[in-house]
Amino acid sequence: MNYIAVDWGTSNFRALSVRDGRMIKTVEADCGVGKCQRDALPLILQQQLLRLGEAYDEQLPVILCGMIGSNIGLADAGYFSLPLSFSALFGKGQPLPGIIPNPVSLRPGICDRRVNEICRGEEMQLAGGLMLSAAQNFAAVGTHSKWLRVDRQQQQVTRLQTLMTGELYALLLNHSVLARDCPSNAGHTKPF
């Protein structure tokens, strides 16, 4: 299948052009939806996709996930509740006609109302992980790292948990007395 996948979070934008199941080009930018005017989002999307160069085609479907599908994004796509079947996880998103020339769909996030947990974007990382690994536990590492558990026999996503590892690391490294003793090249100094 040929498509463009976009993970557009609060802080960052990532687009991947996929042809015959292989990623052929990616672009990234720090133009997360939390940093942009809502009415500018369609234009920003078009500009970022054009950065894919020859890997961009107006006929390719564009699948959007992340905070772009929230109340601060293009439209609120809502959440699928856990437990969630793999077939629902891999299903089609909400069509968004007329945003850009490409056919666009917006993926809902997932939530576990039993423990008040939500994620947007990481569920698509999980979808990819399910294709690459037989694991039952997956970590989507970032500012707010998400741990997702699946039941392979039941073909369901069963659990979601958030850990503030990336944000906590950035706060400690940049705004605490610990930072004084760290070398300037100690690694990533802002949230992932």
Side-chain angles (χ1 to χ4, degrees):
M1 181 176 179
N2 300 330
Y3 59 94
I4 297 172
V6 175
D7 182 357
W8 199 349
T10 305
S11 305
N12 295 296
F13 174 99
R14 293 174 197 88
L16 304 90
S17 184
V18 177
R19 302 284 171 91
D20 300 320
R22 289 187 27 237
M23 181 179 61
I24 60 169
K25 186 164 183 183
T26 66
V27 294
E28 295 185 25
D30 66 352
C31 58
V33 296
K35 300 175 183 178
C36 303
Q37 294 295 319
R38 193 172 189 185
D39 59 351
L41 295 174
L43 178 60
I44 293 167
L45 176 60
Q46 183 68 40
Q47 291 169 339
Q48 294 302 320
L49 293 180
L50 289 172
R51 290 180 53 220
L52 289 168
E54 291 180 14
Y56 173 71
D57 180 333
E58 289 183 355
Q59 304 304 310
L60 289 173
V62 175
I63 303 166
L64 301 174
C65 70
M67 290 302 288
I68 193 65
S70 73
N71 61 355
I72 64 170
L74 287 170
D76 191 339
Y79 295 95
F80 285 133
S81 291
L82 296 186
L84 177 66
S85 70
F86 290 175
S87 61
L89 179 67
F90 290 116
K92 295 190 178 200
Q94 168 187 334
L96 285 179
I99 298 294
I100 58 174
N102 301 69
V104 176
S105 63
L106 187 61
R107 298 289 310 175
I110 62 176
C111 69
D112 190 341
R113 298 185 196 287
R114 301 166 296 192
V115 291
N116 297 317
E117 288 280 359
I118 61 171
C119 71
R120 287 190 184 276
E122 294 88 358
E123 73 286 348
M124 291 293 87
Q125 294 174 36
L126 173 63
L130 288 170
M131 305 300 289
L132 299 172
S133 169
Q136 293 183 334
N137 294 300
F138 292 84
V141 180
T143 305
H144 308 103
S145 297
K146 306 292 180 175
W147 283 85
L148 299 124
R149 180 172 295 155
V150 300
D151 181 325
R152 295 282 183 167
Q153 278 190 318
Q154 296 293 318
Q155 297 285 292
Q156 292 181 334
V157 183
T158 58
R159 188 152 184 246
L160 166 65
Q161 183 177 9
T162 303
L163 299 174
M164 301 296 282
T165 52
E167 186 166 353
L168 183 59
Y169 172 77
L171 287 170
L172 290 173
L173 192 60
N174 294 315
H175 303 289
S176 76
V177 295
L178 297 174
R180 291 185 304 194
D181 296 329
C182 290
S184 62
N185 63 351
H188 214 70
T189 58
K190 60 183 181 179
F192 302 102

